[in-house]
Amino acid sequence: MSTALSPRHARHPAGLARGIYLPRTADAAAFAMSTYGIPLLVLHTTGSAALTGLAFALEWIPRLAAFGWAGSVVDRRGASVVFCLASLGRALALAAGALLLSIHPSGTVASTTVMALAASTGVLTEFSYIAAETAGGAAGRRAGPRAHRVQSVLLGIDQTATLAGPAAAGVLLLAGPPQMLAVVAAISLLAALLALHTPPSPVTPARAPKDRAGAGLVTGWRTIRSLPALGWLVTGLTLSNLAIGFLQAAAPVIVVKHFGQSTTAVGLLWSTAAAATLASVALCRFAIDRLGLWTVGAACAALASLACLAAAHAPTYRSYLILIAILMAAEGGMTVVLRTLRARLIPTAVFGSTLAATILILLLPFPLAGVLTALTPPADLGHVITACAAVQALGLLLAFTRLRTDPALHT
């Protein structure tokens, strides 16, 4: 593409930062603070552990149900429009919740308010996330051979928000529920304003089929099936996510019951893993320049499999923490490869639908991991981790073996 015809945000880093990175940063911060903060808010307001768990479910179940709809709406209306409206809607919902809780700090109204916030912010966050990912995918396509650099920056933004968001929400909650919600609402409003600078979708919304909203996931699934490289990578990472999800679900039991640590040690475990992932993403950005997508992806897959197998037999908490950090760092490297491949291969006209289908497939093992954790006696968790690690290793081996000669990973 010639410089004369290139959009300004593709030619200047400042435009990329203003149109893609800054809106994504604000949205990721609101995403993390609402996702982790609202269950804390429910517990603080109601004092009920059961309602806290229900609030977490109310956040995620509508998100999973909204994937296909969100993807098709983004394809029809454009990423920047959906990004702005979803962030604005979340800001308004949080502001209304802050007002209601300031008037009714406890009781039935307060309980109803926080549960409604859990459901509404979950759906609106899904729309803003799909829109932000679509905008990031478009930026990666414009970056051409440097697409992995754009994706590594976006992944770094997400990981930083995941690292800082829950802690920030917990600190803000000390000032009071209305104050916490007001701050998150302000960040959501900032994301909506910054989204006005997001480059418009290259697809003309008026030309998109009007019936796609009901067939978004079908469209995405068909696109994945038509792209073997993407299909194999998604399959391998989905099987890997079964192990990741089980380790996440079982971590409190393993750390507290098996290693005799406090609940604070569970938070330290995932904070260390998030920091390792950030370092891995930064390293992979340069490693892909020199070694290519397949080499970096295959190395990360091997490292993840070995770390997961070793974690099942870790003798101490410190060794377990180190192995989990290595595992999540390797997972971060494979995520950079997936995002880059996704930006290269998915057609622009169906990017939102295919992105939604891809994310939904990757998230499906997590509920299964929760069920496995609930059904497994604490003494047998190590055996289940070993089995999940074996499934992970087999899935990643098959995926990267099939992708070894695929031109999509060697461009």
Side-chain angles (χ1 to χ4, degrees):
M1 181 181 292
S2 67
T3 304
L5 296 178
S6 298
R8 185 169 177 241
H9 57 264
R11 299 198 306 268
H12 303 291
L16 189 63
R18 186 183 184 190
I20 302 296
Y21 298 151
L22 286 178
R24 179 62 167 264
T25 300
D27 183 69
F31 181 110
M33 292 176 71
S34 60
T35 297
Y36 293 95
I38 286 182
L40 288 176
L41 177 63
V42 173
L43 183 62
H44 178 86
T45 303
T46 66
S48 170
L51 286 178
T52 303
L54 179 59
F56 189 82
L58 283 175
E59 281 188 313
W60 280 103
I61 292 174
R63 288 182 186 183
L64 294 177
F67 266 111
W69 190 23
S72 61
V73 170
V74 169
D75 284 341
R76 293 202 323 272
R77 303 301 179 189
S80 59
V81 173
V82 176
F83 193 174
C84 180
L85 293 179
S87 298
L88 180 60
R90 182 175 56 204
L92 293 174
L94 291 167
L99 179 61
L100 286 172
L101 289 180
S102 64
I103 300 173
H104 303 281
S106 61
T108 304
V109 174
S111 300
T112 303
T113 298
V114 293
M115 298 305 285
L117 280 176
S120 59
T121 56
V123 172
L124 291 168
T125 295
E126 195 55 57
F127 275 82
S128 68
Y129 177 73
I130 294 295
E133 279 284 270
T134 301
R141 284 193 298 276
R142 289 189 293 269
R146 296 180 179 270
H148 60 279
R149 295 197 171 197
V150 175
Q151 298 304 321
S152 66
V153 172
L154 294 175
L155 183 57
I157 290 171
D158 290 345
Q159 288 297 322
T160 302
T162 301
L163 180 63
V171 171
L172 288 170
L173 190 57
L174 296 176
Q179 288 80 358
M180 186 199 81
L181 291 177
V183 171
V184 183
I187 296 174
S188 295
L189 179 60
L190 176 62
L193 295 175
L194 291 171
L196 296 174
H197 300 289
T198 299
S201 172
V203 179
T204 304
R207 295 181 182 178
K210 294 185 178 180
D211 60 347
R212 190 176 292 166
L217 289 179
V218 175
T219 300
W221 171 245
R222 288 174 177 170
T223 305
I224 293 172
R225 290 184 61 187
S226 69
L227 301 170
L230 181 63
W232 276 106
L233 187 57
V234 168
T235 299
L237 289 178
T238 300
L239 294 176
S240 177
N241 278 350
L242 178 62
I244 301 294
F246 187 80
L247 286 169
Q248 289 182 354
V253 179
I254 294 173
V255 172
V256 176
K257 300 293 185 182
H258 182 69
F259 292 119
Q261 301 292 318
S262 67
T263 54
T264 305
V266 181
L268 176 62
L269 176 74
W270 296 117
S271 294
T272 304
T277 303
L278 279 172
S280 169
V281 169
L283 179 63
C284 286
R285 175 180 178 179
F286 298 101
I288 291 173
D289 280 337
R290 292 163 175 77
L291 303 175
L293 279 176
W294 185 88
T295 303
V296 172
C300 288
L303 191 60
S305 300
L306 292 174
C308 191
L309 283 168
H313 307 284
T316 64
Y317 169 74
R318 178 177 296 181
S319 62
Y320 185 75
L321 182 147
I322 293 172
L323 289 168
I324 293 298
I326 294 172
L327 169 63
M328 297 309 295
E331 185 75 12
M334 288 190 290
T335 304
V336 173
V337 174
L338 171 65
R339 288 178 179 236
T340 305
L341 192 66
R342 200 166 58 191
R344 285 183 181 180
L345 296 182
I346 300 176
T348 302
V350 293
F351 191 91
S353 298
T354 309
L355 174 66
T358 301
I359 297 174
L360 179 60
I361 293 170
L362 291 172
L363 289 180
L364 285 177
F366 285 90
L368 177 59
V371 173
L372 279 176
T373 304
L375 296 178
T376 304
D380 296 329
L381 289 175
H383 301 301
V384 179
I385 294 175
T386 301
C388 290
V391 172
Q392 176 192 44
L394 180 61
L396 293 175
L397 175 64
L398 290 175
F400 280 96
T401 299
R402 293 297 298 263
L403 293 172
R404 185 171 59 88
T405 57
D406 195 294
L409 276 79
H410 295 278
T411 302

